[in-house]
Amino acid sequence: MGGTGNFCWLASRAAALALALSLAGCLGLSSEDGGVSADQIAQTAVPQGKVDPNEVAIAEREHPKIVAAFGGTYEDREAELMIASVVGRLVAASPEPWRSYRVTILNSPAVNAFALPGGYVYVTRGLLALASDTAEVAAVISHEMAHVTARHAFLRAQKAEAAAVASQAVQDVVQDPAVQRVALASTQVSLARFSQIQELEADRIGIATLAKAGFDPFGSPRFLTSMSRLAAWKNGLPEDDTGSIDFLSSHPSTPERLAQAQEVARATGVTNGEVDRDGYLSRIDGIMYGDDPNEGYVRGRQFLHAKLGFAFEVPNGFLIDNTSKAVLATNADGVAMRFDGANVAAGSDLVGYLTSGWVNGLDQQSVRTVSIAGLPAAVASAAARGFTYRIAVIRFNDQAFRFLFATRGDAAALDQTFSSTVASFRSLSEAEKASLAPLRIRVVTVGAGDTAETLTRRMVPMDRGVILFRALNGLAANEEPRPGTRVKIIVDR
């Protein structure tokens, strides 16, 4: 606790569901907040060998915002040298070998990569932790470079502006609400599909470049498969139930994208491209996994913040996602939770804060003061847009924090979940604070008799840890690691 770019690889269901609380935000590059617009990126062709200065200006302006939104940069000399070597080979094999790139490792546990015009490419340490070989990381970077060389940011901005004009025209001219909804939905689907086509095109260009640079072209479908398995673990799905992305998503569904990636990789004819699994694992041995100490820790169903000095626990069935702005959690019944800081001045009235107008549909009769773990607090209920809400604000030392729960389902079940979570809020002892340490990836050699189950027991305890272990190591459901190979485990020491 303390965003995503145009072309991200993975999105969290917890973050999506928590939008129901109407408080979550994400990093965007819209023209309204100083981002990319079609007018800013020159429509005329840039002479070969030259970079459009408008693209570079956009990237330089947005770069500090992105770094700040993702918790800063992550410093790791071995990883930086590996990425520099990969980029050099990919640039030489790319459609624009004269272009220069700046690749930044972001200090985020999310599995994410994206690109800006002008050759700024970003990968997160979470992505590096999930990858199992150099070819997989090269596949991600090559994909993002393809977005740059294909000028997808401009094309997407141009399409979005045209869609906005069309939508406004529909609203101005068409009086029938039903006809308006159909027309606007058609525009949304068209724009979404346009973005999906860009993703598939970037995969095709990226895999071709990957093979030309001498890397294993199957690194792309391998990493996509690991991503889908990690998503299944994160969302509480069966190991091979990767589902599909919403039809209005900017990304194609996993099966479609995987099928194309496999086909394109086979079409390259490259069967002996460089994989470099052992070299890669040696370089990321010790990389931080999961939350940065400055943003607190998720340990199973608990969230603990050593620096702020508190902890709380969500009920069984909830999955926690710790972001730079808030702690989010969801369960399979559609209950969403958001925990974050509350802007309450020291000594001011908590009831006054709850009734100050930021809660839509507030039930004024429900607002009351309570004590939580001996701390002053206030709670309230609200209902708006088909959602039922439960809210608590707690004063802790000189700060205030708030819980927000929302559901479209059973209000009684929401009450039980809300009450148990809020009641679990507590101070951490000095011993607990001292014992907390960031998680790290450690690379170990599989011994005779080792299984996914035995190796998982060597990791810090995690829900469905075996599924996570397999996802981190590129293993299929029920597949066992081979003795003598090296694998990643997650430890706290």
Side-chain angles (χ1 to χ4, degrees):
M1 188 185 80
T4 59
N6 280 348
F7 305 108
C8 62
W9 284 66
L10 182 66
S12 163
R13 183 184 70 166
L17 288 178
L19 288 174
L21 299 174
S22 303
L23 293 168
C26 63
L27 174 68
L29 300 177
S30 68
S31 57
E32 292 181 358
D33 58 12
V36 180
S37 72
D39 291 337
Q40 290 173 297
I41 304 176
Q43 298 187 36
T44 57
V46 179
Q48 184 173 354
K50 293 185 179 180
V51 177
D52 186 340
N54 290 329
E55 293 185 358
V56 176
I58 290 167
E60 289 178 346
R61 185 186 67 225
E62 298 299 332
H63 176 74
K65 301 177 188 177
I66 289 173
V67 170
F70 281 84
T73 59
Y74 184 73
E75 309 297 329
D76 186 301
R77 184 64 175 163
E78 286 293 318
E80 290 164 1
L81 290 173
M82 177 268 296
I83 289 175
S85 174
V86 165
V87 169
R89 290 170 58 176
L90 291 174
V91 170
S94 74
E96 295 179 348
W98 42 265
R99 185 183 284 275
S100 61
Y101 288 85
R102 174 178 177 176
V103 181
T104 301
I105 304 175
L106 296 169
N107 185 28
S108 170
V111 178
N112 212 339
F114 48 93
L116 290 180
Y120 279 51
V121 175
Y122 302 85
V123 297
T124 60
R125 60 174 169 82
L127 186 147
L128 298 179
L130 177 62
S132 291
D133 56 59
T134 302
E136 291 183 10
V137 172
V140 173
I141 295 174
S142 186
H143 172 97
E144 301 307 331
M145 288 170 57
H147 280 306
V148 175
T149 58
R151 306 192 80 217
H152 281 162
F154 159 67
L155 295 171
R156 190 168 178 179
Q158 186 182 53
K159 184 78 172 182
E161 288 180 4
V165 171
S167 296
Q168 188 60 52
V170 168
Q171 292 171 342
D172 290 344
V173 175
V174 179
Q175 301 301 316
D176 186 340
V179 176
Q180 278 189 359
R181 285 194 296 272
V182 171
L184 293 174
S186 175
T187 302
Q188 282 185 298
V189 171
S190 173
L191 180 57
R193 186 58 190 166
F194 182 83
S195 299
Q196 291 174 2
I197 290 171
Q198 287 183 336
E199 289 301 322
L200 294 173
E201 181 184 13
D203 280 342
R204 286 193 296 272
I205 297 171
I207 292 170
T209 301
L210 190 67
K212 187 178 177 182
F215 292 106
D216 176 22
F218 291 92
S220 176
R222 257 198 323 275
F223 187 72
L224 287 170
T225 300
S226 293
M227 275 179 46
S228 67
R229 288 179 179 145
L230 182 68
W233 170 78
K234 193 176 185 68
N235 292 318
L237 300 172
E239 195 162 359
D240 274 346
D241 183 4
T242 57
S244 61
I245 298 175
D246 179 79
F247 77 100
L248 287 182
S249 167
S250 64
H251 288 62
S253 68
T254 299
E256 178 186 6
R257 195 172 177 189
L258 263 175
Q260 178 188 272
Q262 293 279 7
E263 180 183 347
V264 174
R266 282 192 296 268
T268 66
V270 175
T271 57
N272 60 346
E274 181 181 333
V275 175
D276 188 31
R277 178 182 173 90
D278 283 342
Y280 179 78
L281 292 179
S282 294
R283 293 183 190 100
I284 67 161
D285 189 11
I287 194 171
M288 189 187 300
Y289 181 86
D291 305 313
D292 185 280
N294 290 322
E295 295 182 353
Y297 300 98
V298 175
R299 295 291 186 267
R301 292 185 289 109
Q302 288 192 88
F303 176 75
L304 310 98
H305 206 303
K307 292 192 174 182
L308 295 177
F310 64 79
F312 65 85
E313 183 173 343
V314 296
N316 279 322
F318 273 80
L319 295 168
I320 302 180
D321 187 16
N322 184 22
T323 75
S324 61
K325 300 295 184 184
V327 181
L328 310 173
T330 56
N331 69 3
D333 296 326
V335 178
M337 181 209 79
R338 179 184 175 96
F339 174 86
D340 61 8
N343 187 19
V344 183
S348 62
D349 180 28
L350 297 180
V351 168
Y353 170 73
L354 284 175
T355 58
S356 61
W358 63 273
V359 181
N360 289 329
L362 178 68
D363 178 1
Q364 297 285 346
Q365 301 302 314
S366 70
V367 181
R368 68 186 190 279
T369 58
V370 296
S371 176
I372 297 172
L375 301 168
V379 298
S381 301
R385 298 185 298 277
F387 282 90
T388 301
Y389 299 87
R390 298 292 182 266
I391 308 147
V393 57
I394 304 171
R395 191 180 303 284
F396 183 75
N397 296 330
D398 294 330
Q399 295 179 270
F401 300 91
R402 62 185 177 184
F403 287 94
L404 300 100
F405 280 79
T407 186
R408 288 187 184 272
D410 183 7
L414 178 65
D415 284 333
Q416 183 177 4
T417 298
F418 171 75
S419 297
S420 64
T421 303
V422 171
S424 73
F425 187 92
R426 63 183 178 85
S427 299
L428 288 174
S429 68
E430 292 303 318
E432 286 177 307
K433 294 177 189 177
S435 69
L436 290 171
L439 301 181
R440 297 194 179 274
I441 293 288
R442 292 298 178 196
V443 178
V444 299
T445 301
V446 180
D450 275 337
T451 65
E453 183 69 42
T454 63
L455 289 163
T456 300
R457 290 193 206 119
R458 295 170 62 179
M459 304 201 318
V460 293
M462 291 190 176
D463 289 341
R464 305 187 337 135
V466 173
I467 296 177
L468 175 58
F469 170 81
R470 288 198 180 103
L472 282 175
N473 290 289
L475 299 172
N478 301 316
E479 183 180 356
E480 296 295 346
R482 290 181 289 109
T485 60
R486 303 172 78 202
V487 294
K488 294 173 281 184
I489 61 174
I490 303 168
V491 299
D492 60 358
R493 288 291 184 272

